[in-house]
Structures are given as C-alpha cells and as structure tokens.
C-alpha cells in the first residue's frame, strides 16, 4: 500500500488543487493497515478542477483516457477508451471520471481501435495493480464548504459532509476520503449486487465500521436513514455493532 500510494501522492502533491485517495485505499489509510488486494488506485478531484487535473497529468507525460461503453438492449456490448489530447475539449466538460495511464503501462494492453480517431481497445493484464503506472480520477462536487454526494449515492436526497470532515490526512500528510463517506458510497444496491464489488466491499465495510469515531458513525447512520428511509442492511449492521 505505502509504495503505490506514496508514489501516486508524490505525483499529485504539487498539482495545486484539492485531491484525495478514495476507494479501498482510503480505508487502509484510515486504519493504517492492508485489508485486501486492489485492482487500481482511485483518487477524487472536484469538478471545477477537471480541466486542471487533466492538464496536470498530460504535462507529466502520461496519457489520459475517457472510458466509454456501447450499450445494446440495455447491456454493455463493448468497452473502449477515448484518448484525451486537449484538456479544454468541450467533450470533457461532463466527464465523471478519467483514467490516467503511463506510456508502456504494465497494467494494460492498449491498441488503436479501427475506424475511430483517438479510440482504443484495451485489455487489463493483471487482477491486482503492482506498479504505479495507472490511476483513476473521479470528479466529485463541492459547494459552500461541503462535499456534495451525487444523486446516485444519495438516492436523490440532499446529503453532504463538511469538507474538513470529508477529506482527512494521515500522519504523512496523504489526503484520503473519510471512511464514513466511502462506506456510504459502497452501500448502494448496485455495489451490493455486483459480483465484482460485493466481496471486496463486504471486507471494507466489516473491517472499517467497528473503528468509526462516534461522530462519524452517527453521521453515517443518519445518511443511510436519509438515503434509504425503508431500511438498509448496512444500517442494521451499524446499529448492531454499537
């Protein structure tokens, strides 16, 4: 954990805008211990810094891609990448996330897709990321000093967290998304039902929930009750713990 996160933090620390580690690594930074293998490094950046973050990665000599999917009959038929060459391209304004990939990345095999400009097929070569040559940047919202949860996570409700509580720092000054924020995100039904996410999210929740500070636990319970007024299995689990 320390090797990859430290290298990514060194890469990002002079960017000039707010960023934080999210995903499973955020929980490991909170607990200061390894929980499980990780398939990638996730970071969060606020939407107003979308252009600056893309420009920053490009200026570092890395490539930036939009991950795209074709849908047929409500099913994903094809996944591919659009390479972002210009951070000011209007196509970038609605991006929810991008992939930052170092040239000759050991994690991916990337080849041009026939019939498309700056379009690429890709293959993931490893189940666990072992080298710092790829990370994902997820764009989130903030307003008036609060981290604002998107409609997907908040189930259309108004759920926020003070920025100084939503983004924390470990002893080395590495920023990470607070555990209660991450646990709310992974409590969405789509993650609970996903074969890809289910087991690792169970490990994350079960390993982290017992160590939440009292204020964080109360906030998470309130957020879950707001998002899921008809009840939620994680809400019951939290109440049993305490």
């Amino acid at each position: 954990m320390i090797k990859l996160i430290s290298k990514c933090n060194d890469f990002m620390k002079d960017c000039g805008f707010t960023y934080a580690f999210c995903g499973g690594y955020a929980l490991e930074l909170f607990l200061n211990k390894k929980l499980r293998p990780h398939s990638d490094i996730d970071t969060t950046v606020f939407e107003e810094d979308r252009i600056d973050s893309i420009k920053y990665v490009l200026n570092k000599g890395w490539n930036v891609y939009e991950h795209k999917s074709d849908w047929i009959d409500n099913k994903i038929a094809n996944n591919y990448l659009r390479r972002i060459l210009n951070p000011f391209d209007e196509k970038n304004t609605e991006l929810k996330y991008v992939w930052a990939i170092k040239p000759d990345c050991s994690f991916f095999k990337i080849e041009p897709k026939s019939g498309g400009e700056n379009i690429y097929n890709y293959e993931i070569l490893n189940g666990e990321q072992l080298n710092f040559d790829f990370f994902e940047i997820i764009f989130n919202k903030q307003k008036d000093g609060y981290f604002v949860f998107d409609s997907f996570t908040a189930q259309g409700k108004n759920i926020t967290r003070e920025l100084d509580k939503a983004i924390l720092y470990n002893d080395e000054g590495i920023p990470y998304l607070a555990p209660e924020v991450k646990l709310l995100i992974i409590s969405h039904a789509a993650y609970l039902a996903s074969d890809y996410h289910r087991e690792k999210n169970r490990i994350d929740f079960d390993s982290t929930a017992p160590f939440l500070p009292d204020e964080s636990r109360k906030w998470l319970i309130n957020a879950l009750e707001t998002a899921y007024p008809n009840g939620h299995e994680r809400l019951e689990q939290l109440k049993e713990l305490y």
Side-chain angles (χ1 to χ4, degrees):
M1 176 189 73
I2 297 301
K3 174 185 173 183
L4 291 183
I5 294 303
S6 293
K7 286 187 175 181
C8 189
N9 191 61
D10 287 343
F11 183 95
M12 291 293 292
K13 65 183 180 182
D14 296 323
C15 65
F17 49 82
T18 299
Y19 69 94
F21 291 94
C22 51
Y25 277 121
L27 302 178
E28 293 188 358
L29 286 166
F30 167 69
L31 294 169
N32 194 31
K33 69 175 183 180
K34 186 175 178 61
L35 297 179
R36 58 174 175 79
H38 297 274
S39 57
D40 59 6
I41 300 171
D42 294 324
T43 62
T44 183
V45 166
F46 290 118
E47 290 181 340
E48 58 265 33
D49 297 315
R50 183 188 284 113
I51 291 175
D52 286 342
S53 63
I54 294 173
K55 183 168 62 175
Y56 182 81
V57 173
L58 291 175
N59 287 341
K60 287 280 193 176
W62 285 40
N63 298 321
V64 180
Y65 296 91
E66 175 190 7
H67 179 245
K68 298 177 69 68
S69 299
D70 290 332
W71 290 75
I72 298 176
D73 296 331
N74 293 321
K75 295 180 180 180
I76 295 177
N78 187 29
N79 289 307
Y80 56 96
L81 304 175
R82 176 180 72 89
R83 186 174 176 185
I84 299 174
L85 301 175
N86 176 12
F88 301 99
D89 189 329
E90 289 186 2
K91 294 179 181 178
N92 302 334
T93 58
E94 300 300 323
L95 291 175
K96 301 300 183 184
Y97 65 94
V98 293
W99 287 1
I101 302 178
K102 188 177 182 180
D104 300 322
C105 174
S106 62
F107 195 60
F108 289 99
K109 179 181 179 181
I110 299 175
E111 296 179 334
K113 184 178 176 69
S114 61
E117 184 178 357
N118 293 324
I119 302 297
Y120 296 82
N121 291 318
Y122 71 93
E123 178 185 355
I124 298 176
L125 301 176
N126 301 300
E128 179 180 3
Q129 183 176 354
L130 301 176
N131 301 301
F132 175 58
D133 46 17
F134 163 67
F135 67 101
E136 184 172 343
I137 303 175
I138 301 165
F139 302 113
N140 280 299
K141 298 178 183 293
Q142 66 165 338
K143 184 177 181 181
D144 299 330
Y146 286 83
F147 183 100
V148 179
F149 290 84
D150 61 24
S151 182
F152 176 83
T153 297
Q155 298 290 283
K157 309 297 195 306
N158 180 29
I159 299 178
T160 61
R161 185 73 164 140
E162 297 95 326
L163 280 178
D164 61 352
K165 295 179 180 178
I167 297 178
L168 307 178
Y169 296 82
N170 76 347
D171 292 340
E172 298 177 20
I174 298 176
Y176 63 93
L177 213 55
E180 65 272 20
V181 172
K182 174 61 180 172
L183 296 186
L184 175 62
I185 293 171
I186 66 173
S187 294
H188 191 281
Y191 293 120
L192 297 178
S194 165
D195 290 339
Y196 176 78
H197 292 99
R198 185 188 304 109
E199 179 59 18
K200 63 182 184 179
N201 285 357
R202 183 197 63 77
I203 293 171
D204 289 349
F205 197 95
D206 290 352
S207 301
T208 307
F211 297 98
L212 288 176
D214 188 57
E215 192 274 339
S216 300
R217 173 183 57 85
K218 290 179 179 177
W219 178 89
L220 180 57
I221 288 174
N222 182 68
L224 285 167
E225 288 176 336
T226 301
Y228 305 97
N230 296 322
H232 192 286
E233 63 184 81
R234 292 275 168 81
L235 184 58
E236 299 308 315
Q237 185 177 348
L238 273 173
K239 291 180 177 179
E240 288 179 6
L241 276 172
Y242 295 93

